[in-house]
Each structure stands twice: as C-alpha cells, then as structure tokens.
C-alpha cells in the first residue's frame, strides 16, 4: 500500500469517528432538550406521576350559643305517677348574671307556701317572676300545650357565677294531677329571646302562640316565637 493510500485511509477513519461523535452528541442533546431521542433509540422511561394532594372539605364553624339549657329530669323514657315527680333544669349563660333577668332566689309553692319567707316567690301558671326568661311547656297540660309552666317551679337560684358567666337552676315538684294519666307526654324547655331589645333575656310569655295552627304548641312554635337557647325536649310516660 502506498503512502498516499495510507494517509487517505486514516483520513477516512478520522472523518467517520467525527461523524459518529456528532451523531451521538446530537442524540443526547435532543433527549435533554425535550425533542425526543433520535430515530431508532429507545425513549427514556417517564418519571412516575406524583399523586394529587388530597383536598379536605371546609370545616363548618361551630355554632356558639350564649345560653345553653340542660334538662336533668324527666329523662326520655321515664315513667312517673300523675303527681310527685320532678322537673329539674339549669341554664348556663355566657352573658353574665345581669342579663339573665334573674332577681332573687325563691322557695315557693301553692297556698300558704306562695310568697312566704324566707325566699318568697309567686306561684301559678305563666312566666316566672324570679326567672322571667324561662319557658317550660308540657304537651298534656290541662291548660293547653302552649301554657308556660315556669312559674310553678318551687326552688330557683344561682348555682354558679363568674366573670361574664352565670348558671341558674330551678326545680319543680309536681303536686297536682294536671298533666294527664296513662298518657305519653312531652316537655319542652328553652330561654326566650330578647324580644324587646333591652339586652336582658326576660321576655318569656305566659302562653306560647300556636304559630303553625296545628293545635299543638311544639318546637316550631317556640322557634317562631323566638328563643335565645337550645330547646331541650323529652318524652316520658305519666301512669296512673
């Protein structure tokens, strides 16, 4: 082989190597630039998709009442006699004592017990003169299911008091058979709304109107009248 042939062959090899290097560089650059691999090359494996972040539904803001009523007796399903049973309840105010409408403690009852020392109070159907915001209804009351019975409670007073808070408690010993016999009854308890806008919850009525006209005063009628608290309700049986 002549010297000129050897030089030509070496030049051809160098040129071929350069072309191969350029082609390889072009393929890498193409893959990195996002235009894909050169023809005939296997595509690079795709990165695994990231799971979408779970979204939580918005949490509703808790409703915070200024007044919470608790009815301790009777309880759902209780069985009582026509007389000699108790209604026992309390209300927690987040308003301070001055806005409860409460005046003085009472220990009262029928006849000679009414308005008697040492803690006098009126006694009879209607709103309570010592706790004038209290509403208590019994569905089987002879006076009607809308009659407020709060003024029949015997013992009423303050059981807790702190800055901006107060708790009132009241108990009624049912001494007359005026609420049915051998019948299921329902009791409703609530605190009336501030109807006259004086800033005090002292606007319980003597009688709650039958707003929906169905002949029975119930939860819907209390809401229609206006309440500032929850409505406590219990079903129980008055026997014989």
């Amino acid at each position: 082989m002549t010297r000129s042939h050897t030089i030509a062959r070496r030049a051809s090899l160098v040129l071929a190597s350069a072309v191969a290097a350029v082609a390889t560089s072009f393929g890498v650059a193409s893959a990195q630039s996002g235009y894909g691999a050169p023809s005939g090359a296997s595509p690079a494996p795709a990165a695994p998709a990231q799971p979408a972040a779970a979204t939580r539904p918005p949490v509703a803001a808790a409703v915070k009442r200024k007044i919470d009523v608790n009815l301790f007796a009777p309880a759902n399903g209780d069985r009582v006699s026509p007389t000699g049973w108790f209604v026992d309840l309390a209300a927690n105010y987040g308003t301070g004592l001055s806005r409860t409408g409460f005046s003085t403690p009472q220990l009262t009852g029928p006849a000679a017990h009414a308005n008697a020392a040492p803690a006098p109070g009126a006694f009879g159907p209607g709103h309570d003169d010592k706790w004038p915001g209290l509403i208590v209804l019994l569905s089987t009351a002879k006076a009607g299911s809308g009659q407020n019975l709060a003024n029949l409670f015997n013992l009423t007073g303050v059981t807790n008091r702190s800055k901006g808070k107060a708790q009132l408690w009241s108990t009624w010993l049912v001494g007359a058979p005026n609420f049915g016999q051998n019948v299921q009854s329902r009791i409703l308890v609530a605190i009336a709304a501030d109807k006259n806008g004086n800033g005090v919850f002292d606007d319980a009525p003597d009688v709650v109107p039958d707003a929906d006209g169905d002949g029975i005063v119930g939860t819907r009628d209390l809401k229609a009248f206006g309440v500032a608290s929850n409505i406590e309700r219990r079903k129980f049986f008055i026997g014989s």
Side-chain angles (χ1 to χ4, degrees):
M1 183 178 295
T2 64
R3 178 182 177 89
S4 60
H5 287 165
T6 301
I7 293 173
R9 185 178 180 186
R10 286 180 178 176
S12 298
L13 291 173
V14 170
L15 180 60
S17 298
V19 170
V22 170
T24 302
S25 299
F26 177 77
V28 172
S30 297
Q32 291 176 343
S33 65
Y35 289 99
S39 177
S42 299
Q50 296 296 321
T55 57
R56 295 182 179 179
V59 178
V63 177
K64 188 175 182 180
R65 290 185 297 265
K66 290 182 178 180
I67 308 170
D68 277 304
V69 172
N70 295 290
L71 178 60
F72 304 108
N76 277 323
D78 278 357
R79 299 180 69 89
V80 299
S81 298
T83 62
W85 51 282
F86 283 87
V87 178
D88 196 27
L89 59 88
N92 294 294
Y93 289 77
T95 63
L97 186 61
S98 63
R99 296 186 62 193
T100 66
F102 176 78
S103 54
T104 58
Q106 68 177 351
L107 176 59
T108 187
H113 302 286
N115 282 316
F123 185 84
H127 75 277
D128 190 1
D129 62 326
K130 301 298 184 180
W131 189 356
L134 179 62
I135 302 173
V136 180
L137 307 178
L138 271 167
S139 62
T140 54
K142 289 182 179 179
S145 59
Q147 176 67 59
N148 189 0
L149 305 170
N151 203 44
L152 293 173
F153 279 65
N154 308 101
L155 182 62
T156 306
V158 179
T159 45
N160 191 27
R161 183 180 182 184
S162 60
K163 185 177 181 180
K165 296 181 180 180
Q167 183 186 70
L168 301 181
W169 203 299
S170 201
T171 303
W172 172 25
L173 171 59
V174 180
N178 293 328
F179 307 101
Q181 186 173 336
N182 294 320
V183 65
Q184 180 169 279
S185 188
R186 180 193 61 195
I187 186 170
L188 300 175
V189 179
I191 302 299
D194 178 16
K195 302 282 287 184
N196 60 10
N198 67 347
V200 181
F201 298 99
D202 58 355
D203 297 319
D206 289 330
V207 177
V208 176
D210 181 11
D212 58 12
D214 65 353
I216 300 175
V217 176
T219 301
R220 287 181 296 182
D221 303 296
L222 276 173
K223 290 180 178 179
F225 174 79
V227 295
S229 70
N230 57 311
I231 300 174
E232 284 281 77
R233 55 183 71 81
R234 303 286 188 272
K235 289 183 178 180
F236 62 103
F237 189 82
I238 301 175
S240 56

